[in-house]
Amino acid sequence: LHATNMASSLLGSSLRAAPLGHRLAARGPAVSPPILAPRSARLVVTQAYVEQSVVTAVSQQAIAFALVLGAEAAFSRSELLESNKGRPEVVPVAAGAGSSLAATLLINSGFGPLVTLGLIAGFIGSGAMIYYNGKRTADTTDEDIAPDWPGPKAWPAGMTLISFFALNVFLQGLRAEL
C-alpha cells in the first residue's frame, strides 16, 4: 500500500479519490471470495458421541457378562433341585444376557442416539440382574445340597456382584458420552 501511494503521488493522482473499481485495480488482481457449494453438496463431518476405546471396553465387558450370566445359570440349574426357589429360571436370565448383547450391538452402531439407547438398555438390564440374582441368593436353600464350602448361595451372590460391575460399566459408558 505504501508503494502504491508513492507511485500515485509521483503520477499526480490520488488513490483516495479514485472510485472503488480503480482502487482495486491499482492494488493488483482482485481476490474473489471462495465459492461455497450448495448446502446439499457440502460434506458434513460428525464426531462420535463416545470414543472408540470406550465402545470397545464396554462391548468386551458386556459380552463377557452375558456369557458368564448364561454359564452360571446353566451350572446352577444342573446343581439345584427343581423344588429349590433359588434355581435360576431361563426367561429372566435370557432376558438379562439378551439385553447385554443387544446393548453391545447398539453401542457398536456408531449412531449417537442408538449408542445412548444401548448404554441405557445395558444399564437397565444389569440393574434387573442385580435384583434377580439378589432374590435368588435370598431364596436359595442349602437343604438339598451337601453343606460344602462355599455353599449354594455363593453362585447367585457372586452373580449379583458381577451384575453390579456390569451396571457400573454401562454407567461409566454413559458418563463418557456426556
Side-chain angles (χ1 to χ4, degrees):
L1 184 63
H2 180 61
T4 307
N5 284 339
M6 280 184 16
S8 63
S9 64
L10 289 175
L11 296 175
S13 65
S14 171
L15 282 177
R16 293 186 187 150
L20 179 63
H22 295 285
R23 275 190 265 169
L24 289 177
R27 286 188 192 164
V31 179
S32 62
I35 298 173
L36 297 176
R39 270 197 177 282
S40 61
R42 289 186 192 171
L43 178 64
V44 177
V45 179
T46 58
Q47 297 290 329
Y49 278 81
V50 180
E51 291 182 23
Q52 186 59 40
S53 62
V54 174
V55 169
T56 302
V58 170
S59 298
Q60 288 173 346
Q61 294 175 54
I63 291 169
F65 173 60
L67 293 174
V68 169
L69 197 61
E72 185 277 329
F75 174 76
S76 292
R77 279 186 66 82
S78 69
E79 293 293 314
L80 295 175
L81 298 176
E82 287 185 35
S83 61
N84 195 323
K85 289 194 277 183
R87 187 172 190 236
E89 298 173 22
V90 174
V91 173
V93 173
S99 71
S100 185
L101 294 174
T104 301
L105 290 174
L106 291 172
I107 292 166
N108 282 292
S109 72
F111 181 61
L114 289 181
V115 171
T116 303
L117 183 64
L119 291 169
I120 291 171
F123 182 82
I124 291 170
S126 56
M129 288 294 96
I130 290 173
Y131 171 78
Y132 178 70
N133 286 309
K135 185 177 179 313
R136 277 186 52 217
T137 303
D139 292 346
T140 300
T141 60
D142 57 355
E143 57 199 36
D144 56 346
I145 296 180
D148 54 343
W149 189 88
K153 292 186 180 225
W155 286 105
M159 288 310 299
T160 302
L161 182 62
I162 291 171
S163 298
F164 174 72
F165 293 152
L167 180 92
N168 284 304
V169 165
F170 289 111
L171 178 63
Q172 293 300 318
L174 282 168
R175 287 185 60 200
E177 180 184 17
L178 302 175

